[in-house]
Amino acid sequence: MTSGSTPPVATKGRILSGIQPTGNLHLGNYLGAIRNWVALQNDFECLFCIVDLHAITVWQEPAALTHATREVAAGMIAAGIDPVANALFVQSHVPAHAQLAWVFNCVARLGWLNRMTQFKDKAGKDREKASAGLYVYPNLMAADILVYKATHVPVGEDQKQHLELARDIAQKFNSDYGVEVFPQPEPVIRGPGMRVMSLRDGSKKMSKSDPSDFSRINMTDDADAIAGKVRKATTDPHPLPDSVAGLEGRAEAANLLNIYAALTDQTLEQVVTEQAGQQFSGFKAKLTDTAVAVLGPINAEMKRLMNDPAEIDKVLARGAAKANAIAEPVLAEVYRTVGFLSR
Ligand code: TYM
């Protein structure tokens, strides 16, 4: 580890965000996260991390994890992330994440972790069988952010609680040691479609871990697959309402309209007005065309990039070098603050 002073945070602010390589990237990842990262990349110094350490908090087939790690990188580049201007890297390539996470395991309180809804959801009924890693997952996420002293964290709404925990950890660390080492990272949650729900059940979020592939539109789906999934998406027997209030109690209709609004860069109000009185069949055809138009070129570029894994690995190695150069001095500062004997 190198010591020395921490590089200053860029005046415009520094973004860190992450995504798990746990299967297919889907429309929720795109609309809730990646698309926003693309929009923010020119205004901030950005670090985008493929969080493989997080992924193994639940079982991953090793070969599938390796494949998904490259595929997520390809998806991000295909969607418009510039891997030269930003740092695009793999979490396990930057050891300071895990090292800082240990310190945070000793800062965060059990009571804080007990409140995390994602742990409750993912652990399910048989909590005794959940990995210890799944329980301390939010501490690692706090380390991902704070090891870069990131000021802004663009995430979907589902990650808001974890981000609040990261803020609590930053504050407790600073106050326990009487320092101002960490900033309070701000969530950046924007735009419609920030919580994309399952196509089968409008009360569940669209997720890589849903056993039904019909619950999500993957960024690797071709036009036929997208059409089939939208056609089969759960709906109700009524035509589309003429006001947002009319979506009350119609979670599936609300979800499809929200997705359409996000894909066409409109507000939900605009889309509801435009589609008022339509039958689902007509609206679904429109939604399919729009999703294919947006995802088709990304899908094609992802496939092209995946044909050259060595090139993806090169890009990720460059990203890791950039990330390590920022993270190592921050970790050294933390170790000094805590009182660890310097090497
Ligand atoms: P992950 O891998 O589940 O999702 C990556 C990003 O996609 C967003 N997202 C969604 N947005 C809208 N609707 C959905 N259905 C949907 N599903 C996923 C997530 O909000 C996220 O922004 N714990 C994080 C990964 C992480 C991270 C971090 C994020 C690890 N360290 C540090 C930010 C900063 C996660 O599991 O995301």
Side-chain angles (χ1 to χ4, degrees):
M1 190 180 64
T2 57
S3 58
S5 63
T6 304
V9 173
T11 48
K12 52 190 179 177
R14 181 178 286 156
I15 276 182
L16 176 290
S17 203
I19 189 159
Q20 296 197 57
T22 46
N24 288 320
L25 283 179
H26 54 71
L27 194 61
N29 298 134
Y30 179 67
L31 294 177
I34 298 174
R35 192 174 74 143
N36 296 336
W37 301 350
V38 173
L40 291 163
Q41 65 183 340
N42 296 325
D43 295 330
F44 291 85
E45 178 190 355
C46 294
L47 297 125
F48 298 120
C49 183
I50 303 169
V51 294
D52 53 354
L53 300 177
H54 279 100
I56 61 161
T57 55
V58 296
W59 170 251
Q60 304 297 327
E61 283 301 331
L65 179 63
T66 309
H67 177 83
T69 302
R70 288 199 184 101
E71 195 170 73
V72 168
M76 286 164 64
I77 298 167
I81 299 282
D82 178 345
V84 176
N86 307 292
L88 171 60
F89 65 101
V90 178
Q91 190 181 28
S92 63
H93 294 176
V94 184
H97 288 241
Q99 292 167 304
L100 183 60
W102 179 258
V103 176
F104 287 172
N105 285 343
C106 303
V107 173
R109 307 288 93 182
L110 287 184
W112 299 359
L113 294 175
N114 286 339
R115 285 197 286 277
M116 295 295 115
T117 54
Q118 184 169 299
F119 175 75
K120 291 179 198 162
D121 291 348
K122 283 203 170 175
K125 288 204 180 72
D126 202 356
R127 272 194 214 175
E128 300 283 308
K129 292 226 170 92
S131 73
L134 190 65
Y135 189 66
V136 292
Y137 177 116
N139 296 342
L140 177 59
M141 183 161 156
D144 299 338
I145 298 164
L146 294 169
V147 82
Y148 302 102
K149 300 192 178 187
T151 54
H152 295 81
V153 185
V155 280
E157 209 186 40
D158 60 313
Q159 295 299 317
K160 222 172 139 186
Q161 192 185 35
H162 286 159
L163 199 56
E164 275 155 19
L165 187 91
R167 291 165 62 89
D168 289 344
I169 289 175
Q171 197 191 345
K172 181 161 165 52
F173 182 92
N174 286 348
S175 100
D176 283 355
Y177 292 100
V179 290
E180 275 305 321
V181 169
F182 295 120
Q184 283 278 290
E186 297 288 337
V188 185
I189 297 175
R190 43 151 72 184
M194 59 202 177
R195 193 177 179 86
V196 179
M197 309 308 279
S198 157
L199 298 182
R200 307 299 283 166
D201 176 351
S203 68
K204 282 193 345 202
K205 78 168 178 171
M206 186 177 283
S207 151
K208 299 178 197 121
S209 53
D210 193 311
S212 167
D213 199 49
F214 276 91
S215 69
R216 65 185 156 258
I217 294 176
N218 300 309
M219 284 171 70
T220 47
D221 285 342
D222 61 19
D224 285 347
I226 294 174
K229 288 176 179 181
V230 173
R231 209 178 318 114
K232 284 219 167 92
T234 308
T235 51
D236 56 48
H238 308 292
L240 292 171
D242 58 8
S243 71
V244 173
L247 287 169
E248 188 63 37
R250 300 182 67 186
E252 282 81 16
N255 186 38
L256 295 183
L257 285 163
N258 256 321
I259 291 174
Y260 185 73
L263 286 171
T264 54
D265 277 321
Q266 297 185 83
T267 63
L268 183 60
E269 286 76 10
Q270 282 171 319
V271 168
V272 168
T273 308
E274 181 191 292
Q275 302 298 325
Q278 274 253 32
Q279 298 299 328
F280 274 105
S281 51
F283 172 63
K284 279 181 165 182
K286 232 182 209 167
L287 178 58
T288 299
D289 290 348
T290 309
V292 169
V294 173
L295 295 181
I298 299 178
N299 181 318
E301 179 63 2
M302 256 175 105
K303 283 201 179 114
R304 194 189 66 77
L305 292 166
M306 284 301 280
N307 281 331
D308 192 355
E311 183 55 34
I312 295 178
D313 293 358
K314 233 193 268 169
V315 166
L316 292 172
R318 268 204 312 267
K322 267 194 212 169
N324 271 306
I326 303 173
E328 285 176 1
V330 175
L331 185 71
E333 188 183 0
V334 169
Y335 277 14
R336 275 197 306 276
T337 303
V338 170
F340 291 165
L341 187 65
S342 61
R343 287 197 271 155

